[in-house]
Amino acid sequence: KPVQAFVRVKPTAQFAQDMIKFGADDKSIDIHIPKDARGGIVNNSYTDWSFRMDGLLHNTSQDQVYETVAKDLVAEALRGYNGTIMCYGQTGAGKTYTMTGATSEYKHRGIIPRAIQQVFKAARESLNLFISVRISYLEIYNEALFDLLGPGLGRGPRDAALAVMDSPRGVYVRGLSIHPVKHEEEALNLLFEAGETNRVIAEHALNKNSSRSHCIFTIYIEGRSRTDTNLKGIKSKITLIDLAGSERLSKITSAGRLQKENSYINRSLAFLEQIILALADPRRGHIPFRQSKLTHVLKDSLGGNCNTVLVTNICGEAAHVEETLSSLRFATRMRWVTAEPVPSVTFDREVSVKVLEEEINLLKRELAMRDMFANRSFRTYSPLTGAQRAAIKSQIHKYLRGAIEEIDIVNIRQIQEVFKQFKVIVSQQQEDVEAKLRSKYVLIDKGELNAGAGPEWFLPFCFQGGVGALDDGLVQEVEKLQKEALEPGPSSSSPVPGEKKEDKSDEHVKKEKLVSPSLEGDLEGSAPPETQEESPTKDVDEEEGASEQDRTDSEKELSTSSSGEESQQPSFPPSKAEAFELFKQEAGSEISRIFRENKSILLARKRSSSSVARRINDIKREMEGVQETLEGKKRKRWQEGEYADEKGQVIIDEKEFSLILKLKELKEEHRAGYAELQDLKAEIQYCQQLVDKCRKRLISEFEIWYNESFLIPEDVGEALRPGGSIRPGMIPVHRVMCLDEDEQDRFERMQETNLPECPESTPFYRAKMKTEQQQTFDRTMSSLQKMRRKPGIVTAAGKNKPLSFLHI
Ligand code: ADP
Ligand code: MG
């Protein structure tokens, strides 16, 4: 069953009719971009795209959207199937509107409140199941997890205790509060409490932050039977995700045009896209869910055994057509992912044990009856007794001695017992043999062997740092090398590390490849692939193979080029390239130093490895020369007739003898060099890992530092620090002080207009009012505190509306 993908178009007066066209079936959407609109740079062959979706939501009310997108999924959840709905799209395209909706009006509420309503309605109407509902609300911002329903909401310091955990029953977030809710209003209360704060931001300057976080609202449903006779229960969850804005980075090209780059502003979306590509691949192997918090949290909510729906929100204006295009691409990929929903049915344990026991008894009786009809003597199907086991044992011993020809098969249990007994005997014999051998010879365990000890040079393989510090991959690699080393001697075709493995059979290619540059290249290739970084930091180690001198040169180049750019476009915040230089000198100096150090060690190892490889190569060539001469001599001897001494041994001349000695020496040398090369290769891998780790660290520290230094306003930054007064995505109180609508008035007005015709909306409005009152209260209290401190400022802020919010 494929994942369903819908597209919702945000209504606009400036809909780009000539660029975006909808199919008549409301399932396809065509994009046409005139060449010059793209600046004629990016792609000059495709200007038309066509996408197929499961449905287009164009001029569609919230109500219809829910019917199309969510209703069935929620109904299925009430039958035990997990369900996930995701909203994807650029900031401002209507994700939050679709997911949460506008709280101000009942008919504009989104999927979350409607799903809550549907679940509770079903719970009320369910005859045989007693349904309990719990909810949680998680926010992921910059790889940090926040509990939106957590205690001390919006006030406490960052909650460091949250962590994504794997368990046999699925992923969960440790420390995330999950709230049992008894009725709709209670659930909506919690939603609004968290949501209102978010919504405040959406209207404000900090929108940038709110659009960079993912919000995951989860409804956990558990149904137990009301009566004992009906045992089946259900357990499921509905995951509702409001993703961060999918907008791409934009860059000003040398021609001065604004151009979209292919990387997301929010990196976890890039990982999400990778996961989706991997899931869509029919040969899917390992799916790297743990790359980011978002994908990890969604591990069992994507394409596995749940119903998944994607709503892609797009804007219809011409200015947004690039983003629209990439959003539609994402949606199409999502449609390739398939899922096999299975209901998770739970059982009441005690009752089910009882029923199973009954069934077993019944089956036993059935078997006994069959035996009787088949004229077989009475057989038992219970576990074997001690006496029976002893009987089997003696039977086996007799069988092994040859005293009996066969062991009669009685039943499965007996067969299993026979095998078990055999296993005991075999392992006993193994021990006996070993004990006997030990008493005769001195056996040395592999690990105890000394590295220098003669021809066993290949057995233990160690280097400084110890094998314990390596990961499995490296250990395997070492083992592979050992195996290769075990293959025939140096003059044969044993491969030299550093060659491509596939070339093993191709003697010709190999000789070419032995020279050092290719060796280097291969070592480079063995490093894990670059993760997608933003371009300025990518240079971090582009010149890994270059000399120190080279690197400083290219660093200079980088800084001059970026400052050149700057002179055209003076800006704050500074460009990332510049900022990165600054960071390396200041806040990141230590990590940058360690990184450089590790890199130079790595470089040194690579260099010596390539020189060793070259040496081996030389030796090999020499060996081949000697061999050839020897062959020549031999051939000549053959032609001329051989001399032999009285014992019949062929006599050879001195020169040939010395050549043979030389060849032997060379072989030794080759072998030693080979071993050295292996050591070096292992070390290089280890160093490479260190360097990779360092690079990641350097870049992520830089990202954090850059955000905190330039992108987040200072006062907010202050409050954001651990122990500060707010979480990211919230606004300092004094900035939201003057929300000047009289909320009580508004509520009453709304109640008048909405309630009479729609009694179902009561919980919605009641929850909303409570939240608003709480907020008004909080605001008032903090403004009062402020007033006490700075009387002058408050009068200015509340001049025209003298504390009209004090009506609690
Ligand atoms: P996002 O969460 O994707 O950044 P929002 O949901 O906050 O975007 O939408 C931005 C603005 O557009 C909000 O004021 C919202 O009310 C409005 N909006 C979005 N979609 C619709 C729609 N389908 N109908 C009416 N208004 C919408
Ligand atoms: Mg939003």
Side-chain angles (χ1 to χ4, degrees):
K1 181 174 177 183
V3 167
Q4 290 201 296
F6 296 92
V7 169
R8 184 177 199 189
V9 191
K10 185 178 155 182
T12 169
Q14 286 106 31
F15 186 77
Q17 289 167 339
D18 41 350
M19 286 187 173
I20 304 174
K21 296 217 161 62
F22 303 120
D25 56 353
D26 257 356
K27 288 203 166 153
S28 62
I29 176 166
D30 294 337
I31 305 284
H32 171 78
I33 302 180
K35 251 185 209 169
D36 47 348
R38 313 194 86 203
I41 333 155
V42 187
N43 195 329
N44 40 27
S45 52
Y46 285 98
T47 51
D48 285 286
W49 292 264
S50 188
F51 299 94
R52 270 201 82 72
M53 297 294 150
D54 294 285
L56 281 183
L57 306 164
H58 182 43
N59 280 335
T60 316
S61 68
Q62 294 281 65
D63 190 31
Q64 285 167 302
V65 168
Y66 187 79
E67 287 282 319
T68 322
V69 163
K71 198 174 177 197
D72 291 346
L73 184 139
V74 173
E76 290 252 286
L78 288 157
R79 297 199 288 122
Y81 295 88
N82 289 344
T84 303
I85 305 178
M86 263 196 294
C87 281
Y88 180 94
Q90 74 183 101
T91 299
K95 296 181 296 299
T96 307
Y97 182 77
T98 303
M99 209 33 101
T100 318
T103 34
S104 47
E105 242 178 296
Y106 185 62
K107 69 172 190 250
H108 289 163
R109 72 205 193 285
I111 292 174
I112 297 177
R114 283 170 203 264
I116 290 173
Q117 191 172 39
Q118 187 181 343
V119 167
F120 276 105
K121 187 152 182 269
R124 272 196 308 276
E125 288 166 3
S126 169
L127 292 177
N128 44 20
L129 286 185
F130 172 76
I131 290 177
S132 57
V133 182
R134 293 176 307 154
I135 59 174
S136 70
Y137 206 178
L138 173 72
E139 183 183 17
I140 305 178
Y141 175 81
N142 245 351
E143 288 301 282
L145 305 170
F146 299 98
D147 188 349
L148 291 179
L149 304 182
L153 173 81
R155 275 157 242 130
R158 296 182 186 209
D159 196 347
L162 297 191
V164 193
M165 308 296 279
D166 281 302
S167 86
R169 306 183 65 191
V171 249
Y172 67 98
V173 178
R174 194 190 60 203
L176 180 68
S177 61
I178 300 181
H179 302 253
V181 277
K182 280 195 243 13
H183 43 75
E184 197 181 334
E185 189 184 324
E186 201 180 350
L188 291 176
N189 248 329
L190 286 168
L191 170 67
F192 290 161
E193 205 179 309
E196 277 298 318
T197 27
N198 281 346
R199 203 148 298 102
V200 173
I201 310 149
E203 291 155 7
H204 249 271
L206 269 178
N207 199 7
K208 206 154 60 186
N209 284 334
S210 83
S211 69
R212 284 190 189 195
S213 69
H214 312 285
C215 292
I216 303 177
F217 188 88
T218 312
I219 307 175
Y220 308 82
I221 301 170
E222 206 168 338
R224 269 165 287 125
S225 82
R226 291 186 195 272
T227 55
D228 260 7
T229 46
N230 188 353
L231 304 159
K232 263 196 196 163
I234 55 137
K235 196 171 173 172
S236 62
K237 62 179 181 182
I238 305 172
T239 313
L240 304 169
I241 309 156
D242 184 353
L243 288 169
S246 66
E247 51 272 19
R248 310 281 165 143
L249 286 174
S250 45
K251 192 173 93 177
I252 296 172
T253 62
S254 50
R257 293 193 189 89
L258 197 72
Q259 186 189 329
K260 292 278 175 220
E261 281 204 279
N262 220 11
S263 49
Y264 289 96
I265 287 181
N266 190 305
R267 279 182 52 205
S268 49
L269 286 174
F271 289 124
L272 178 64
E273 184 156 6
Q274 278 177 24
I275 296 287
I276 288 186
L277 280 176
L279 284 171
D281 187 345
R283 297 157 298 153
R284 66 173 90 152
H286 170 69
I287 313 274
F289 280 109
R290 302 181 63 147
Q291 266 175 339
S292 73
K293 294 282 187 315
L294 174 71
T295 50
H296 198 181
V297 168
L298 296 184
K299 188 174 162 190
D300 49 12
S301 310
L302 273 181
N305 52 11
C306 65
N307 292 302
T308 311
V309 173
L310 174 77
V311 179
T312 304
N313 293 94
I314 61 170
C315 295
E317 290 94 351
H320 294 302
V321 74
E322 293 271 349
E323 290 298 347
T324 298
L325 192 59
S326 63
S327 294
L328 290 174
R329 285 210 188 97
F330 181 87
T332 313
R333 289 191 193 126
M334 195 70 184
R335 288 189 78 213
W336 297 339
V337 176
T338 52
E340 287 147 27
V342 285
S344 52
V345 177
T346 58
F347 289 95
D348 199 330
R349 251 201 213 145
E350 260 172 57
V351 188
S352 61
V353 166
K354 228 194 269 162
V355 171
L356 288 175
E357 274 171 359
E358 262 169 35
E359 196 168 328
I360 290 169
N361 273 333
L362 198 81
L363 288 171
K364 275 186 188 166
R365 266 182 280 155
E366 173 99 29
L367 278 172
M369 193 136 50
R370 277 169 176 261
D371 286 342
M372 202 173 74
F373 284 137
N375 244 343
R376 278 182 284 218
S377 55
F378 177 71
R379 274 167 198 180
T380 162
Y381 298 93
S382 328
L384 298 173
T385 62
Q388 281 170 320
R389 252 187 246 123
I392 291 174
K393 191 173 168 184
S394 73
Q395 212 177 12
I396 286 168
H397 280 279
K398 272 187 217 159
Y399 175 74
L400 284 173
R401 278 204 311 273
I404 52 172
E405 288 282 296
E406 282 179 346
I407 299 172
D408 279 335
I409 289 172
V410 184
N411 58 24
I412 304 244
R413 282 188 204 278
Q414 181 244 4
I415 296 172
Q416 279 169 340
E417 182 62 27
V418 167
F419 278 122
K420 226 187 268 165
Q421 297 285 352
F422 269 117
K423 194 170 171 186
V424 170
I425 290 170
V426 168
S427 64
Q428 235 162 29
Q429 276 185 344
Q430 245 171 0
E431 271 169 35
D432 287 352
V433 169
E434 199 178 318
K436 262 185 212 153
L437 282 174
R438 271 187 198 279
S439 67
K440 275 192 195 159
Y441 308 98
V442 186
L443 278 190
I444 301 171
D445 286 331
K446 271 192 182 182
E448 294 164 13
L449 244 167
N450 193 321
E456 292 88 348
W457 55 269
F458 48 81
L459 277 177
F461 188 87
C462 304
F463 63 90
Q464 315 101 294
V467 178
L470 305 177
D471 66 11
D472 287 348
L474 188 45
V475 171
Q476 275 167 12
E477 176 71 3
V478 170
E479 279 167 4
K480 202 166 67 206
L481 284 171
Q482 286 176 353
K483 227 193 280 149
E484 282 170 6
L486 277 168
E487 281 167 358
S491 58
S492 80
S493 65
S494 119
V496 169
E499 285 176 58
K500 294 254 190 295
K501 308 301 182 273
E502 312 85 80
D503 291 337
K504 226 174 233 179
S505 60
D506 196 338
E507 201 69 29
H508 206 66
V509 180
K510 197 187 309 162
K511 278 181 191 149
E512 303 279 327
K513 288 217 162 187
L514 260 169
V515 288
S516 65
S518 75
L519 181 85
E520 288 255 351
D522 194 29
L523 288 167
E524 289 277 328
S526 68
E530 277 285 317
T531 42
Q532 282 195 355
E533 295 298 348
E534 292 168 332
S535 50
T537 46
K538 210 170 194 164
D539 75 286
V540 173
D541 53 3
E542 258 169 12
E543 328 81 4
E544 231 164 65
S547 68
E548 283 297 317
Q549 186 54 44
D550 285 351
R551 188 173 50 237
T552 39
D553 279 356
S554 60
E555 265 179 10
K556 248 182 256 153
E557 230 168 72
L558 175 82
S559 55
T560 48
S561 74
S562 63
S563 65
E565 212 171 81
E566 227 241 339
S567 61
Q568 295 170 2
Q569 182 81 43
S571 61
F572 186 87
S575 82
K576 282 215 166 170
E578 273 173 74
F580 190 53
E581 289 308 312
L582 202 66
F583 174 71
K584 279 199 286 192
Q585 280 156 24
E586 287 168 13
S589 68
E590 183 63 9
I591 167 106
S592 161
R593 185 184 61 73
I594 294 171
F595 176 64
R596 265 203 312 276
E597 239 170 65
N598 280 341
K599 233 165 60 178
S600 72
I601 295 173
L602 176 64
L603 196 63
R605 293 290 185 278
K606 280 184 176 176
R607 277 211 208 93
S608 44
S609 143
S610 68
S611 88
V612 171
R614 225 174 289 136
R615 204 176 74 220
I616 295 181
N617 207 15
D618 291 344
I619 294 172
K620 194 168 176 189
R621 215 170 294 129
E622 199 177 342
M623 249 153 57
E624 279 162 3
V626 173
Q627 194 119 34
E628 220 165 83
T629 331
L630 273 174
E631 292 289 329
K633 287 218 170 259
K634 217 172 177 178
R635 236 177 290 124
K636 202 164 148 217
R637 232 175 33 230
W638 255 92
Q639 285 161 358
E640 292 173 355
E642 289 179 328
Y643 298 99
D645 66 3
E646 58 277 9
K647 284 181 202 152
Q649 275 179 333
V650 177
I651 295 169
I652 52 172
D653 66 17
E654 220 169 281
K655 193 148 175 241
E656 192 170 348
F657 183 67
S658 73
L659 278 176
I660 291 174
L661 280 185
K662 171 92 180 155
L663 185 60
K664 215 172 160 191
E665 245 169 55
L666 284 173
K667 275 186 188 176
E668 270 311 312
E669 236 177 280
H670 185 272
R671 203 186 278 173
Y674 191 78
E676 195 184 335
L677 191 60
Q678 286 173 58
D679 282 355
L680 277 169
K681 187 167 185 192
E683 253 187 287
I684 285 172
Q685 289 209 10
Y686 184 68
C687 288
Q688 184 75 55
Q689 283 188 350
L690 279 183
V691 168
D692 289 341
K693 260 188 218 147
C694 272
R695 182 194 310 125
K696 276 204 188 112
R697 177 85 192 283
L698 182 62
I699 288 166
S700 67
E701 301 255 293
F702 166 67
E703 289 291 330
I704 293 169
W705 174 84
Y706 185 78
N707 279 338
E708 288 184 355
S709 312
F710 302 116
L711 299 184
I712 303 176
E714 215 166 80
D715 49 347
V716 185
E718 201 53 49
L720 277 173
R721 298 241 155 82
S725 59
I726 58 171
R727 295 168 306 107
M730 294 197 51
I731 299 206
V733 170
H734 65 272
R735 290 214 185 168
V736 285
M737 270 283 297
C738 349
L739 282 186
D740 36 21
E741 183 153 352
D742 188 329
E743 273 147 278
Q744 191 78 21
D745 282 356
R746 213 172 64 199
F747 175 67
E748 273 158 12
R749 201 179 61 230
M750 237 149 42
Q751 217 169 16
E752 272 164 27
T753 53
N754 291 301
L755 283 186
E757 64 213 65
C758 195
E760 279 168 356
S761 63
T762 318
F764 180 87
Y765 285 115
R766 267 224 291 273
K768 189 173 155 46
M769 183 177 65
K770 267 192 204 154
T771 315
E772 278 167 2
Q773 280 177 349
Q774 179 63 40
Q775 282 180 341
T776 312
F777 177 74
D778 288 347
R779 266 205 302 272
T780 310
M781 289 318 284
S782 61
S783 77
L784 283 176
Q785 268 172 10
K786 251 205 174 59
M787 215 179 337
R788 257 174 242 134
R789 264 186 279 134
K790 301 183 201 164
I793 291 174
V794 169
T795 40
K799 212 195 281 178
N800 298 328
K801 281 216 124 213
L803 299 181
S804 70
F805 38 64
L806 268 175
H807 48 252
I808 317 159

